[in-house]
Amino acid sequence: MKKFYFITAIVAAFLLGSCNDKAKNDVRPSTHDEPAEEVNFTVDFNSIDIDTVYNYKGGDNMVLSKMAPLGNNKAIYSIVPPGSSVGYHTHETDMEIIYVLQGTATVRMDSTIIIYTPGMVHYCPKGRSHSISNLGEENLVSFNVIAVQ
């Protein structure tokens, strides 16, 4: 249950705080003529089909994922099998948070390599580059949030 609350807190903090500067400064009184924005705050990964992507971002083998679009942002349940990876890529307009649920992630960010285990979080801010590899013997399972900045 603690993992659920932690993941919920991550999503809320970064999705609610991911407004661009223009939106933060665009404070207008609301009028009754404007329709309320329709937002779905619940993601049920049990109802989303799993996609298999080969050589994702130039990586090795395959990545399995369930992706939930949240406006311009995404919540992703990801499985990286042993020997697979997400290739090195740059987050030009968004940031990514990866919360490791199972397995071991080997993350290269710029010239640094860090090992992440269950309960650890990797953050790749806008403008930075990273790759994620599963060099272990069990599936790497993670919950990822990608938010426009």
Side-chain angles (χ1 to χ4, degrees):
M1 191 59 105
K2 286 182 182 179
K3 284 184 183 178
F4 172 77
Y5 291 120
F6 183 74
I7 291 170
T8 302
I10 290 173
V11 172
F14 284 94
L15 293 182
L16 295 176
S18 68
C19 301
N20 62 33
D21 290 335
K22 181 177 184 284
K24 287 179 184 175
N25 296 325
D26 185 19
V27 178
R28 304 176 284 166
S30 71
T31 67
H32 296 290
D33 297 336
E34 295 179 18
E37 182 179 345
E38 192 69 31
V39 178
N40 182 2
F41 290 102
T42 303
V43 172
D44 181 3
F45 284 114
N46 296 311
S47 66
I48 299 174
D49 291 333
I50 197 157
D51 289 324
T52 302
V53 180
Y54 294 92
N55 306 109
Y56 187 60
K57 303 274 185 187
D60 295 324
N61 300 323
M62 71 176 109
V63 174
L64 309 166
S65 66
K66 295 182 175 195
M67 188 179 319
L70 300 168
N72 292 330
N73 307 309
K74 299 174 205 159
I76 305 166
Y77 177 84
S78 177
I79 301 169
V80 181
S84 296
S85 66
V86 173
Y88 194 73
H89 61 282
T90 302
H91 284 266
E92 307 232 354
T93 60
D94 55 29
M95 52 72 73
E96 183 173 16
I97 295 172
I98 300 171
Y99 177 63
V100 177
L101 298 168
Q102 174 188 315
T104 302
T106 301
V107 176
R108 177 179 159 224
M109 187 160 163
D110 303 323
S111 62
T112 303
I113 295 176
I114 300 175
I115 306 298
Y116 291 84
T117 57
M120 295 177 75
V121 174
H122 166 66
Y123 169 59
C124 184
K126 176 182 170 183
R128 300 289 295 274
S129 302
H130 68 160
S131 65
I132 300 94
S133 301
N134 182 355
L135 304 177
E137 298 192 12
E138 68 175 317
N139 284 338
L140 165 59
V141 180
S142 65
F143 172 75
N144 309 348
V145 173
I146 298 175
V148 175
Q149 291 189 306

